[in-house]
Amino acid sequence: MTSVDVNNRVKEKTLSTVSRLSLQQVSKGFKSGNTNLTALENINLEVKPGEFVCLVGPSGCGKSTILNLVSGLEHADSGKVLVNGQAVVAPGPDRLFLFQEPALFPWLNVISNIEFGLKSIGVPKSERRERAMKYLTMVHLQKFADFRVHQLSGGMRQRVAIARALAIDPEVLLMDEPFTALDAQTRDILHQELQQLWAATGKTIIFVTHNVREAVTLGDRVIIFTYRPGRIKREFSTTHLSRPRHIEDQAALSLVREITAELRSEVQLAVAAEYGEAYEDEQIAV
Amino acid sequence: MSVTLETLSKSKPQSIASQLFSLKLAKAIGFALLKIVAFGLGVAIVWEVIYLLMVEVFHVWIAALFPAPVDVIISLIDHATDGTLLRATSASLFRLFIGFGLSLPLGVFSGLGLARSRWFKRVVGPIVLGFQALPSVCWLPLSILWFGLNERAIIFVVVMGSVFSITIATYDSTKLIPPLLLRAASNMGVRGWALFWRVVLPASLPAILSGARQGWSFAWRSLLGGELLTAGVGLGNLLNQGRDLTDMSLVMAIMLVIIVLGLAFDQLVLTRLEHAVQRSYGLSRS
């Protein structure tokens, strides 16, 4: 892939004022046993077209719930979830999930897995193979087209999942900790490639992670959530950092530290809620 | 990447079809026959020892009720050479394959129906469980009244004997599908019957094949039950003939034939198919 002048693209994108994705005063609760828990409270979030937004927060802060709301798998108790100004009603291939597990179909080979998505959105048979191959090449797996899923490594499988999603050409990619299950080297490589793919395709991405470094490496914006009820605590812009970024970049370090400090008290709350008195008198180093 | 292209190319899988119809099959049949012969020889030796002790030495039993293995083999050869055995076997296998061939699609589709529709499950589910608890031979009186004393009556019993176990196995297998696969498919816009054809059915295939093996053995039992209680050419009829003539050698010879045929189809066709599917799905390492 040629080096795309990403920073220019970001500037272009920020010129657009129409928000592709908008959460307005969104609240969402769920039942846990007999108690009602508020997962999200009064969330206001605007995501611009082509923006890469990372959501970071302790476990249980409801950041994955935001993805579910945008996808239409769950519905808000109050408030609006809008995509291009339209309220989200049901799941659709314009908002595609990427999960921690690649969720590929083991009875299909690699190329057929990508074609599966194309068939789903009604791409005629004659065009499927070529289009699937194009996206498989984008993730550098063109030699593996005829392989079975179980013959690939974890990183390769996640690449196939990314290719399958991109081939469908969604407006928004909802990534729920997609690299968490991978080894560190593979994850680093995929960080680079995801930035290139994002630059090349201009997709809007909402990316949920626990890893602050990952969030700063990938996102235009990093949004910190409070522990239950999940509220937006603070937002950090990363657009001053040049792309492509690497997870070990020195320039990002101070921002990473600042975000981690902001997050610490929330993580302590989460840990205290989870383990109770066992942690009462101890200082938790995060 | 931990997996190189070279190592993967070597393990590139053959298609299921080529795995089934290859030189390997001939080898497998040879090996299976060898195992059967070795096992049969062992059984024959133990049998001969018991025969010698109980009949020849202590005179506890009489030879007409407990034949020597040699007598059984002679009886087998006699009936094989005069054509009786071939006629009976082909008549029985004809009923069996028609019955099992009907049960398999019926069972798979009713199992999928149970999984697909709550209404269908509520109405048909208890019926399936009830009929599965009913020994299939119990259908014979009804079957004879409905169809007359002919092939169809027995085939009906065979179907009733095997269809419900296949239904239950299919239904159970749909509950074992990883929810993430269904979620990924529905996210790509695959719903309703398309979800069934493209995801649920292929995802259930390995477990359906296990259910088919079980259905096969139920079909075999039902067939013999039906044939024993009716007249007409068949293995069950030969068993009756042996009883009427107090020809225990014939009875045991036919029992041997039934064991070998049932085992052969299970091992050489169904189990091989099951393993081929498991390998291609990455479910086994063999």
Side-chain angles (χ1 to χ4, degrees), chain B residues 24-76:
Chain B
K24 276 190 192 163
L25 177 64
K27 238 189 226 171
I29 292 176
F31 195 61
L33 281 178
L34 203 71
K35 271 199 289 190
I36 290 170
V37 168
F39 178 74
L41 219 61
V43 171
I45 288 168
V46 174
W47 182 352
E48 180 70 31
V49 168
I50 295 174
Y51 170 79
L52 284 174
L53 285 175
M54 301 302 278
V55 179
E56 302 278 333
V57 180
F58 296 115
H59 302 289
V60 186
W61 298 336
I62 54 167
L65 295 182
F66 193 85
V70 181
D71 295 334
V72 172
I73 290 167
I74 289 171
S75 174
L76 193 63

Side-chain angles (χ1 to χ4, degrees), chain A residues 221-233:
Chain A
R221 261 194 299 161
V222 179
I223 295 169
I224 305 297
F225 282 78
T226 61
Y227 182 66
R228 244 166 246 165
R231 280 184 297 249
I232 293 177
K233 187 173 190 187

Side-chain angles (χ1 to χ4, degrees), chain A residues 6-7 195 217 238-246 249 251:
Chain A
V6 181
N7 288 314
Q195 289 180 77
T217 306
T238 67
T239 42
H240 60 285
L241 301 167
S242 64
R243 285 187 189 266
R245 301 174 195 150
H246 187 266
D249 281 351

Side-chain angles (χ1 to χ4, degrees), chain A residues 68 73 91-93 95-97 99 101 104 106-107 116-117 119-120 143-144 147-148 150-151 153 156 164 168, chain B residues 1-3 5 8-9 11-13 180-181 183-185 187-191 198-199 202-203 279-282:
Chain A
N68 288 338
L73 284 168
R95 289 149 283 134
L96 273 188
F97 251 107
F99 310 100
E101 300 294 324
L104 301 173
W107 55 90
F116 181 100
K119 186 179 176 187
S120 309
K143 284 180 186 161
F144 293 85
F147 280 66
R148 288 275 164 178
H150 67 89
Q151 295 175 299
S153 67
M156 290 176 175
R164 179 175 69 180
I168 292 173
Chain B
M1 214 59 43
S2 55
V3 193
L5 194 58
L8 278 169
S9 305
S11 64
K12 191 169 175 178
L180 196 63
L181 289 188
R183 211 176 144 192
N187 192 202
M188 287 184 268
V190 182
R191 286 189 200 93
R198 300 180 60 203
V199 183
R279 264 196 302 279
S280 97
Y281 279 42

Side-chain angles (χ1 to χ4, degrees), chain A residues 40-53:
Chain A
L40 294 172
E41 192 176 85
N42 198 20
I43 300 289
N44 288 296
L45 179 63
E46 302 284 319
V47 181
K48 295 185 231 11
E51 197 179 16
F52 199 140
V53 174

Side-chain angles (χ1 to χ4, degrees), chain B:
Chain B
M1 214 59 43
S2 55
V3 193
T4 66
L5 194 58
E6 283 76 16
T7 58
L8 278 169
S9 305
K10 276 177 202 152
S11 64
K12 191 169 175 178
Q14 299 163 282
S15 71
I16 293 173
S18 71
Q19 278 183 42
L20 283 174
F21 307 103
S22 62
L23 271 176
K24 276 190 192 163
L25 177 64
K27 238 189 226 171
I29 292 176
F31 195 61
L33 281 178
L34 203 71
K35 271 199 289 190
I36 290 170
V37 168
F39 178 74
L41 219 61
V43 171
I45 288 168
V46 174
W47 182 352
E48 180 70 31
V49 168
I50 295 174
Y51 170 79
L52 284 174
L53 285 175
M54 301 302 278
V55 179
E56 302 278 333
V57 180
F58 296 115
H59 302 289
V60 186
W61 298 336
I62 54 167
L65 295 182
F66 193 85
V70 181
D71 295 334
V72 172
I73 290 167
I74 289 171
S75 174
L76 193 63
I77 293 170
D78 280 351
H79 286 88
T81 44
D82 72 4
T84 341
L85 187 63
L86 186 70
R87 267 199 305 279
T89 305
S90 51
S92 288
L93 285 183
F94 173 75
R95 296 175 192 127
L96 183 65
F97 279 113
I98 298 227
F100 183 63
L102 288 170
S103 292
L104 200 55
L106 267 174
V108 168
F109 283 110
S110 54
L112 291 179
L114 288 180
R116 172 90 174 89
S117 146
R118 193 167 293 179
W119 174 85
F120 193 70
K121 189 183 158 192
R122 223 170 269 161
V123 176
V124 179
I127 299 175
V128 168
L129 284 178
F131 283 174
Q132 171 64 6
L134 179 74
S136 55
V137 170
C138 301
W139 285 101
L140 195 65
L142 201 68
S143 178
I144 290 172
L145 290 176
W146 280 352
F147 299 105
L149 202 57
N150 54 30
E151 298 289 329
R152 282 189 292 169
I154 296 177
I155 289 170
F156 179 73
V157 172
V158 171
V159 171
M160 286 322 224
S162 57
V163 72
F164 301 113
S165 72
I166 299 173
T167 302
I168 292 170
T170 304
Y171 172 61
D172 286 345
S173 70
T174 61
K175 289 191 287 195
L176 294 174
I177 300 172
L180 196 63
L181 289 188
L182 298 174
R183 211 176 144 192
S186 84
N187 192 202
M188 287 184 268
V190 182
R191 286 189 200 93
W193 281 110
L195 186 70
F196 249 70
W197 279 115
R198 300 180 60 203
V199 183
V200 174
L201 191 59
S204 313
L205 192 59
I208 289 175
L209 285 172
S210 308
R213 287 180 59 198
Q214 207 193 3
W216 168 256
S217 79
F218 275 118
W220 226 170
R221 283 162 215 215
S222 309
L223 174 76
L224 266 300
E227 288 187 348
L228 276 170
L229 294 173
T230 54
V233 180
L235 289 169
N237 182 247
L238 276 184
L239 281 174
N240 273 341
Q241 197 182 310
R243 185 196 61 192
D244 294 344
L245 303 173
T246 334
D247 185 353
M248 275 303 123
S249 303
L250 174 61
V251 170
M252 289 198 172
I254 300 304
M255 285 166 71
L256 262 179
V257 169
I258 292 167
I259 291 173
V260 169
L261 286 178
L263 211 59
F265 187 72
D266 178 81
Q267 290 294 307
L268 294 176
V269 180
L270 294 177
T271 306
R272 282 184 66 76
L273 190 64
E274 188 184 10
H275 286 173
V277 166
Q278 283 175 349
R279 264 196 302 279
S280 97
Y281 279 42
L283 293 172
S284 72
R285 301 210 161 269
S286 57

